[in-house]
Amino acid sequence: EVEVRITLLPGGEVLNIDLVKSSGNRIYDESILRAIRSASPLPVPPADSELFPQFRDLKLKIEHER
């Protein structure tokens, strides 16, 4: 399991990604971070929407199925 915190700009561009919890596998962790960066901009509600603040700082847990 990898846990990341993503900070987004109003247009959905990824401003920052922090690795909160490592999976223990450096290569897997780095591939998750690269995938998030390459998906930028992420789909988010419009900046003037009342929902946008919930998307400004995302904390995600990503689990690999075996």
Side-chain angles (χ1 to χ4, degrees):
E1 179 179 276
V2 175
E3 191 170 327
V4 294
R5 173 168 282 137
I6 306 167
T7 305
L8 300 174
L9 294 172
E13 293 85 7
V14 175
L15 177 64
N16 190 41
I17 307 170
D18 292 315
L19 184 64
V20 176
K21 178 184 172 193
S22 172
S23 68
N25 181 327
R26 183 182 56 82
I27 294 170
Y28 179 69
D29 294 349
E30 289 174 359
S31 68
I32 294 292
L33 298 177
R34 273 193 310 277
I36 294 168
R37 282 189 201 97
S38 69
S40 183
L42 300 174
V44 295
D48 58 354
S49 165
E50 61 187 51
L51 291 176
F52 180 74
Q54 297 174 27
F55 287 83
R56 176 87 172 144
D57 275 319
L58 295 175
K59 190 172 184 182
L60 303 175
K61 289 183 182 180
I62 302 164
E63 294 183 35
H64 176 70
E65 291 187 28
R66 294 180 183 211

